[in-house]
């Protein structure tokens, strides 16, 4: 089955932060998870290179637009490469392929009378690049996000009407309760749909914003962010040209942080309806990462967690694991270097040590040979079938892709079970007495096979660690497949590798 997974495209006016890293890692975990289940996944990410904020940053840089945008876009690609992100397509909204689809869509909507021109006076916040209503402002009349007074602007502009579609969208969401997950965000969107929707001002006069896609029907205007950025989700699939468009679109997933809930869950489905395309299959929303002290990260508080800095300290895979293990999608979640170090220790103690201890015992007492093909006790069998069925329940063919979010905690649970089993059976004591050799082999085989199950399930989260553990167990791992049968570990010879999670200096 074909599936299409997207991240939002990221503004190039700044460097990538932990929020960008998280959404993109989440998409990569979903992709690898779906691939292990045998699905064909197309994953797109990219950069949003138009609009006033990009323009201001570009002007401040002293570079040409092309130089500035290429440099900024590359910061994201570099981080994604470092994080092991296996995207299939990297969108740049300044690319000709994207612009062409935007122009075609705009011309079509204009020709059908769905884009109207009218004069408008409003309060415009340059930070938000949006007109604000009085009720959106603070008591002092400032934009709550930028704490600046918006400018009064009066101009002729083009608008896309949302209100005619409001009732349809409300019914659609009510009929498809899983369309927005977690459900707290669906409730929020339904709340927004209780009030009439204002016409969406979708363009900017070129004398104010020059960095954008010129309208095909009015050269004095460029498109405003939404009719440019959101269309990336269909321009990436080459809408209008690609015969496989529908195959991917009918299982399509947008991942997004909660700050862009309204454009993705109200503007976008309405835009698609007007264009004549079904809504995306699912919107998967997540909260923010909150810095030390339980407050928003900021440079002045010194609690910013920079993904590149984390990777310098501990490598990329512990970061990937921490982010998936610790974000609860429906809420904000805490992160700091200290918490990441705790997460690293957890991996080292529960998984890394287990691997090293058992492998060293096999090396020392069994000349490295895996004791496959022996009979096990009921207790051994139970441990393996418990872990096996727990992972199988996640990796079933038709499981929803968000079940991958639970993988990290399931892996930690399995590690705890195996560690408890290992400690209770004391194989290091058994090894001392030749009479106990049969029992020793049973405990060792059970632990090795459990480790294989854990390493297999770990693949979407920590692909290199997964492959490395499987290699140490002499399991072929060019392509890690969802093999979760208990007692699946066959004959072979283990190797004792370097520790996966070596001691981290403070
Ligand atoms: Zn603002």
């Amino acid at each position: 089955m074909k599936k299409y997974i997207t991240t939002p495209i990221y503004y190039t006016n700044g460097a990538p932060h932990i929020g960008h890293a998280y959404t993109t890692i989440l998409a990569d975990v979903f992709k690898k998870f779906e691939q292990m289940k045998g699905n064909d996944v197309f994953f797109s990410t990219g950069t949003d290179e138009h609009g006033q904020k990009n323009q201001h940053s570009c002007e401040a840089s002293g570079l040409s637009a092309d130089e500035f945008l290429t440099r900024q876009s590359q910061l994201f690609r570099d981080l994604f490469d470092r994080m092991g992100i296996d995207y299939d397509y990297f969108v740049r909204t300044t690319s000709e392929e994207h612009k062409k689809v935007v122009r075609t869509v705009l011309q079509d909507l204009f020709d059908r009378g769905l884009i109207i021109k009218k004069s408008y006076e409003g309060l415009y916040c340059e930070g938000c690049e949006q007109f604000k209503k009085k009720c959106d402002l603070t008591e002092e009349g400032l934009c709550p996000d930028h704490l600046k007074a918006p400018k009064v602007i009066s101009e002729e502009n083009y608008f896309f009407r949302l209100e005619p579609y409001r009732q349809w969208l409300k019914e659609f969401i009510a009929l498809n309760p899983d369309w927005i997950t977690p459900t707290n965000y669906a409730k929020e969107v339904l709340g927004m749909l209780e009030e009439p929707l204002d016409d969406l001002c979708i363009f900017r006069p070129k004398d104010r914003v020059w960095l954008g896609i010129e309208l095909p029907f009015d050269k004095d205007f460029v498109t405003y962010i939404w009719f440019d950025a959101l269309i990336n989700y269909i321009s990436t699939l080459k809408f209008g040209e690609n015969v496989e468009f529908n195959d991917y679109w009918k299982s399509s997933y947008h991942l997004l942080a909660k700050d862009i809930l309204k454009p993705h869950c109200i503007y976008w489905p309405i835009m698609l309806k007007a264009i004549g395309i079904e809504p995306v299959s699912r919107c998967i929303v997540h909260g923010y990462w909150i810095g030390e002290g339980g407050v928003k990260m900021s440079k002045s508080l010194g609690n910013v967690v920079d993904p590149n800095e984390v990777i310098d300290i501990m490598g990329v895979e512990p970061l990937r694991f921490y982010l998936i293990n610790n974000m609860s999608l429906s809420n904000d979640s805490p992160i700091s270097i200290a918490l990441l170090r705790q997460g690293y220790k957890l991996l080292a103690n529960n998984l890394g040590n287990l691997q090293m201890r058992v492998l060293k015992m096999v090396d020392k007492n069994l000349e490295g040979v895996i004791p496959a093909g022996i009979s096990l006790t009921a207790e051994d069998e139970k441990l393996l079938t418990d872990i096996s069925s727990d992972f199988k329940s996640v990796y079933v063919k038709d499981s929803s892709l968000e079940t991958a979010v639970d993988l990290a905690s399931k892996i930690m649970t399995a590690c705890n079970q195996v560690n408890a089993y290992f400690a209770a059976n004391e194989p290091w004591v058994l090894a001392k007495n030749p009479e106990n050799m049969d029992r020793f082999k049973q405990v060792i085989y059970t632990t090795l096979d459990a480790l294989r199950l854990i390493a297999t399930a770990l693949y979407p989260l920590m692909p290199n660690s997964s492959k490395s553990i499987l290699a140490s167990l002499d399991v072929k791992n060019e392509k890690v497949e969802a093999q979760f049968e208990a007692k699946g570990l066959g004959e072979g010879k283990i190797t004792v590798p370097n520790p996966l999670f070596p001691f981290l200096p403070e």
Side-chain angles (χ1 to χ4, degrees):
M1 188 178 178
K2 289 183 165 48
K3 298 204 174 193
Y4 176 43
I5 298 174
T6 70
T7 73
I9 48 173
Y10 305 120
Y11 260 133
T12 41
N13 64 329
H17 56 61
I18 200 76
H20 302 128
Y22 172 68
T23 317
T24 314
I25 287 172
L26 186 62
D28 189 63
V29 168
F30 286 159
K31 176 179 175 178
K32 290 180 164 67
F33 176 67
E34 289 299 320
Q35 284 180 324
M36 280 178 74
K37 293 176 2 182
N39 290 316
D40 165 9
V41 181
F42 190 82
F43 160 22
S44 80
T45 185
T47 43
D48 181 353
E49 306 184 4
H50 289 138
Q52 202 157 26
K53 283 182 224 168
N54 280 319
Q55 181 179 318
H56 287 166
S57 301
C58 173
E59 285 164 349
S61 76
L63 299 171
S64 73
D66 186 42
E67 286 167 338
F68 173 77
L69 296 171
T70 301
R71 180 189 78 183
Q72 292 300 108
S73 178
Q74 194 60 41
L75 293 177
F76 287 84
R77 280 200 209 218
D78 289 346
L79 175 65
F80 297 168
D81 289 346
R82 266 194 109 184
M83 297 192 308
I85 304 297
D86 183 22
Y87 56 81
D88 297 285
Y89 189 78
F90 192 95
V91 190
R92 293 189 62 186
T93 52
T94 45
S95 74
E96 277 312 313
E97 296 89 336
H98 171 72
K99 289 189 204 170
K100 192 175 129 192
V101 176
V102 171
R103 284 193 208 104
T104 308
V105 166
L106 288 173
Q107 186 69 55
D108 172 56
L109 295 181
F110 185 70
D111 291 346
R112 290 194 283 129
L114 295 171
I115 291 173
I116 50 167
K117 193 172 190 184
K118 63 177 189 181
S119 63
Y120 181 80
E121 186 180 275
L123 299 165
Y124 184 80
C125 172
E126 285 189 339
C128 299
E129 299 184 35
Q130 251 172 354
F131 283 102
K132 294 276 168 185
K133 283 195 232 171
K134 278 226 170 75
C135 62
D136 296 332
L137 304 176
T138 65
E139 281 179 19
E140 296 79 35
L142 307 178
C143 163
D145 294 329
H146 295 94
L147 300 176
K148 270 189 192 168
K151 286 184 184 168
V152 179
I153 285 185
S154 165
E155 64 190 17
E156 283 242 287
N157 209 323
Y158 291 93
F159 290 81
F160 174 66
R161 297 195 63 212
L162 299 170
E163 180 59 17
Y165 302 91
R166 181 165 63 99
Q167 199 53 37
W168 161 77
L169 185 57
K170 269 174 83 170
E171 282 163 19
F172 175 80
I173 296 174
L175 285 172
N176 297 279
D178 292 338
W179 183 59
I180 305 171
T181 54
T183 47
N184 55 313
Y185 300 112
K187 283 200 192 106
E188 216 175 295
V189 172
L190 282 170
M192 295 174 197
L193 290 170
E194 285 301 312
E195 298 289 318
L197 296 170
D198 287 340
D199 296 345
L200 195 61
C201 176
I202 53 176
F203 306 117
R204 292 291 177 261
K206 228 194 239 170
D207 54 17
R208 191 138 52 83
V209 182
W210 51 262
L211 189 57
I213 303 173
E214 191 177 275
L215 298 197
F217 45 83
D218 191 334
K219 306 234 168 298
D220 293 334
F221 286 82
V222 297
T223 42
Y224 171 64
I225 41 178
W226 304 121
F227 259 84
D228 177 356
L230 289 167
I231 286 176
N232 100 80
Y233 296 130
I234 59 171
S235 72
T236 289
L237 289 182
K238 301 194 173 22
F239 171 64
E241 287 175 13
N242 183 356
V243 288
E244 289 189 317
F245 179 89
N246 279 322
D247 298 343
Y248 284 101
W249 191 257
K250 69 184 181 210
S251 291
S252 49
Y253 303 83
H254 291 336
L255 311 189
L256 52 132
K258 65 183 183 183
D259 58 330
I260 44 177
L261 191 61
K262 191 172 185 182
H264 280 77
C265 299
I266 294 184
Y267 304 163
W268 182 226
I270 290 178
M271 286 164 63
L272 285 169
K273 179 84 175 162
I275 297 168
I277 303 176
E278 292 291 307
V280 65
S281 315
R282 299 280 286 275
C283 295
I284 300 169
V285 189
H286 64 79
Y288 298 143
W289 289 103
I290 299 292
E292 203 143 29
V295 290
K296 202 176 164 187
M297 286 183 230
S298 77
K299 279 198 185 127
S300 55
L301 289 172
N303 63 352
V304 174
V305 176
D306 172 358
N308 275 306
E309 199 183 309
V310 177
I311 299 170
D312 290 341
I313 297 172
M314 60 185 65
V316 69
E317 299 214 337
L319 170 65
R320 288 176 63 110
F321 193 90
Y322 180 90
L323 293 179
I324 301 299
N325 197 24
N326 292 279
M327 172 60 86
S328 107
L329 297 179
S330 53
N331 286 306
D332 294 341
S333 304
I335 193 167
S336 64
I337 297 291
L339 287 170
L340 281 154
R341 283 178 176 277
Q342 277 176 28
Y344 183 92
K345 269 189 199 147
L346 198 70
L347 279 169
N349 291 339
N350 289 5
L351 179 58
N353 286 355
L354 176 71
Q355 181 203 17
M356 294 310 279
R357 287 180 76 190
V358 67
L359 291 179
K360 280 179 183 164
M361 279 186 208
V362 181
D363 188 50
K364 189 176 158 200
N365 300 291
L366 301 171
E367 293 174 334
V369 177
I370 296 167
I374 57 172
S375 61
L376 301 178
T377 67
E379 183 209 2
D380 308 337
E381 299 250 1
K382 185 174 183 310
L383 178 74
L384 294 177
T385 46
D386 282 354
I387 294 174
S388 150
S389 51
D390 207 25
F391 289 145
K392 275 187 192 166
S393 72
V394 178
Y395 278 91
V396 283
K397 184 93 185 159
D398 59 354
S399 62
S400 73
L401 85 183
E402 299 103 295
T403 51
V405 173
D406 297 330
L407 267 177
S409 71
K410 284 192 181 288
I411 284 163
M412 279 296 135
T413 304
C415 287
N416 291 339
Q417 287 172 305
V418 183
N419 278 308
Y421 166 88
F422 198 73
N425 283 284
E426 301 183 316
W428 58 93
V429 177
L430 296 171
K432 285 179 189 153
N433 185 344
E435 278 178 24
N436 292 331
M437 202 34 88
D438 285 349
R439 182 62 195 141
F440 174 76
K441 285 183 179 171
Q442 288 175 329
V443 175
I444 291 296
Y445 179 82
T446 304
T447 307
L448 292 173
D449 195 46
L451 198 56
R452 173 189 64 86
L453 293 167
I454 290 168
T456 307
L458 187 65
Y459 179 72
L461 306 172
M462 302 176 78
N464 293 328
S465 307
S466 159
K467 286 187 164 196
S468 159
I469 298 172
L470 291 174
S472 74
L473 300 171
D474 206 7
V475 176
K476 282 200 185 65
N477 65 20
E478 273 156 49
K479 185 169 172 255
V480 178
E481 284 171 4
Q483 299 289 355
F484 293 108
E485 290 307 321
K487 296 193 280 180
L489 184 64
E491 288 175 4
K493 251 190 124 171
I494 61 94
T495 38
V496 182
N498 291 325
L500 267 180
F501 310 104
F503 179 74
L504 274 192
E506 289 298 320

